[in-house]
């Protein structure tokens, strides 16, 4: 077995986990009212989901309903108090499975060919079968749980550059300036060593971004969305499609994205900004499972930071856990 086979079936465990979490949220989370100030952005997102769909059809693209699905999912998630205790349990399960995966990979008890980078495996996570979403969930969750330095180590160890850059945004307000500067130098050095900062490496981060920005695009798709997969549009330039900004704009459009960010204004700004760093490469936090963890982690941070304001923290925790 190898990672290519695992990637081909990754959608199935991800949708099983997504469906399971939706059932948990329905039965273990309190529903709250939709804020009046969010009604217009929600309507705008739905309207431009339709505009993007029609726009994509007019271009002859293979369109999908992802903007509609994510809009309704965001409305659902953002209007509930997601369970805090259960969040910790899920992260514990992910961690146990991750440790098991490393043991299997290095002992070859079960023959499996992992992706490798500089002699380190790039784990996929048994609940995800995808390195990038695993890295996102683990790094952001561990940081939210208070493991600042460990989450930074894992961001580097997993070998996904967007998680490492996102961690720098998260860590800026947590680390003293000397330690933060040291961490930044280490991460930039590793990125340069791997080749992400070289124009000579065709699939390097900097090379992909520069070539993508010089590639002709449909500007109406960037503004209004086309409900289309950018990878399927530029089949002959597969490296360029690694530029996540074009992926999300072709799918959702700039107006939809701006409304989405406006809706998240109540959450911690540094966490929202760190999430946008993922959009440089694989925007896994804008998939159906990724958006669940996106909002869930934001709500966990909101809960942690609001605890000193509550005299009865146990009562507050019960409110979040149903």
């Amino acid at each position: 077995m190898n990672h290519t086979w695992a990637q081909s079936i990754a959608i199935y465990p991800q949708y099983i986990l997504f469906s399971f979490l939706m059932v948990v949220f329905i039965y273990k989370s309190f529903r709250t009212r939709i804020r009046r100030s969010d009604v217009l952005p929600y309507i705008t997102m739905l309207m431009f989901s339709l505009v993007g769909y029609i726009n994509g059809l007019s271009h002859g693209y293979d369109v999908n309903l992802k903007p509609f699905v994510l809009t309704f999912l965001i409305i659902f998630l953002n209007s509930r108090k997601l369970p805090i205790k259960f969040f910790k349990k899920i992260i514990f399960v992910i961690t146990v499975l991750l440790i098991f995966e490393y043991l299997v990979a290095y002992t070859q008890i079960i023959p499996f060919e992992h992706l490798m980078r500089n002699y380190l495996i790039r784990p996929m996570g048994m609940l995800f079968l995808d390195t990038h979403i695993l890295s996102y969930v683990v790094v952001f969750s561990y940081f939210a749980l208070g493991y600042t330095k460990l989450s930074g180590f894992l961001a580097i160890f997993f070998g996904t550059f967007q998680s490492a850059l996102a961690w720098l945004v998260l860590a800026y307000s947590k680390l003293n300036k000397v330690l933060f500067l040291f961490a930044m130098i280490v991460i930039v050095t590793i990125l340069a060593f791997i080749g992400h900062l070289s124009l000579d490496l065709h699939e390097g981060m900097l090379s992909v971004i520069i070539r993508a920005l010089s590639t002709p695009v449909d500007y109406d798709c960037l503004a209004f969305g086309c409900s289309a997969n950018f990878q399927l549009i530029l089949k002959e330039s597969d490296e360029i499609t690694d530029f996540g900004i074009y992926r999300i704009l072709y799918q959702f459009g700039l107006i939809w994205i701006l409304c989405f960010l406006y809706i998240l204004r109540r959450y911690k700004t540094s966490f929202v900004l760190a999430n946008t760093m993922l959009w440089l490469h694989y925007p896994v936090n804008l998939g159906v499972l990724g958006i669940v963890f996106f909002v869930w982690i934001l709500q966990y941070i909101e809960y942690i930071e609001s605890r000193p304001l509550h005299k009865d923290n146990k009562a507050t925790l019960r409110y979040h856990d149903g």
Side-chain angles (χ1 to χ4, degrees):
M1 294 189 294
N2 56 40
H3 64 273
T4 303
W5 172 81
Q7 288 176 328
S8 68
I9 64 168
I11 189 173
Y12 301 109
Q14 290 182 23
Y15 276 122
I16 290 172
L17 178 58
F18 169 77
S19 301
F20 171 71
L21 291 178
M22 287 299 99
V23 172
V24 171
F25 292 164
I26 290 172
Y27 288 100
K28 288 185 67 65
S29 63
F30 281 93
R31 185 175 62 186
T32 59
R33 291 182 179 180
I34 296 176
R35 298 186 177 196
R36 289 185 179 181
S37 57
D38 289 343
V39 172
L40 182 58
Y42 285 142
I43 293 175
T44 304
M45 290 169 72
L46 287 171
M47 181 178 69
F48 276 92
S49 296
L50 178 60
V51 169
Y53 190 87
I54 296 173
N55 196 28
L57 287 175
S58 69
H59 281 281
Y61 297 149
D62 291 329
V63 295
N64 55 62
L65 298 175
K66 188 174 180 179
F68 287 102
V69 173
L70 253 64
T71 300
F72 283 115
L73 184 56
I74 291 165
I75 293 173
F76 171 81
L77 295 170
N78 211 33
S79 62
R80 305 187 80 87
K81 293 290 185 181
L82 303 181
I84 297 303
K85 284 184 178 179
F86 195 75
F87 171 75
K88 294 181 179 180
K89 293 178 181 178
I90 284 291
I91 301 305
F92 175 77
V93 171
I94 291 172
T95 301
V96 170
L97 292 176
L98 179 61
I99 293 172
F100 178 74
E101 182 178 354
Y102 271 108
L103 290 174
V104 168
Y106 285 115
T107 62
Q108 284 296 294
I109 297 174
I110 303 174
F112 190 93
E113 179 190 342
H114 276 82
L115 280 171
M116 300 288 292
R117 174 169 285 172
N118 298 322
Y119 305 106
L120 295 174
I121 71 162
R122 302 184 69 186
M124 295 179 292
M126 296 181 181
L127 295 179
F128 305 108
L129 296 184
D130 182 271
T131 299
H132 293 90
I133 190 170
L134 170 69
S135 175
Y136 165 62
V137 171
V138 171
V139 170
F140 274 70
S141 297
Y142 270 58
F143 191 95
L145 291 167
Y147 302 106
T148 303
K149 297 174 185 177
L150 176 60
S151 62
F153 171 78
L154 291 173
I156 298 172
F157 196 69
F158 285 153
T160 53
F161 79 82
Q162 71 270 35
S163 293
L165 294 178
W167 179 83
L168 283 176
V169 176
L170 294 174
Y172 179 75
S173 61
K174 291 287 186 179
L175 301 177
N176 64 63
K177 296 301 180 283
V178 175
L179 190 55
F180 176 79
L181 181 61
F182 174 75
M184 183 171 65
I185 292 173
V186 169
I187 288 175
V188 171
T189 301
I190 292 174
L191 290 178
F193 176 76
I194 293 173
H196 277 309
L197 303 183
S198 172
L199 294 178
D200 297 328
L201 184 63
H202 204 59
E203 64 272 16
M205 173 183 68
L206 188 59
S207 176
V208 167
I209 291 175
I210 290 177
R211 286 185 291 111
L213 292 176
S214 61
T215 300
V217 293
D218 300 306
Y219 289 101
D220 57 328
C221 284
L222 300 184
F224 307 118
C226 275
S227 296
N229 188 328
F230 189 59
Q231 284 181 298
L232 299 179
I233 296 172
L234 292 182
K235 295 178 182 178
E236 73 285 355
S237 306
D238 57 339
E239 291 94 358
I240 295 177
T241 62
D242 282 346
F243 185 43
I245 297 293
Y246 280 173
R247 286 188 179 205
I248 64 171
L249 293 182
Y250 262 77
Q251 185 69 251
F252 304 102
L254 179 61
I255 296 175
W256 190 99
I257 291 295
L258 291 176
C259 289
F260 172 57
L261 293 175
Y262 176 78
I263 287 167
L264 300 180
R265 69 195 181 282
R266 78 184 226 214
Y267 299 114
K268 192 172 180 63
T269 304
S270 62
F271 263 75
V272 175
L273 179 60
N275 269 275
T276 65
M277 296 301 293
L278 300 182
W279 301 347
L280 288 173
H281 192 25
Y282 291 117
V284 293
N285 53 359
L286 285 180
V288 289
L289 184 57
I291 202 72
V292 168
F293 281 98
F294 190 163
V295 177
W296 206 1
I297 294 171
L298 287 175
Q299 288 201 14
Y300 180 84
I301 291 296
E302 183 183 46
Y303 161 73
I304 291 298
E305 295 196 339
S306 68
R307 282 192 302 178
L309 301 178
H310 297 278
K311 294 181 179 179
D312 186 355
N313 288 336
K314 291 184 178 179
T316 306
L317 187 58
R318 285 197 299 271
Y319 175 66
H320 277 261
D321 282 324

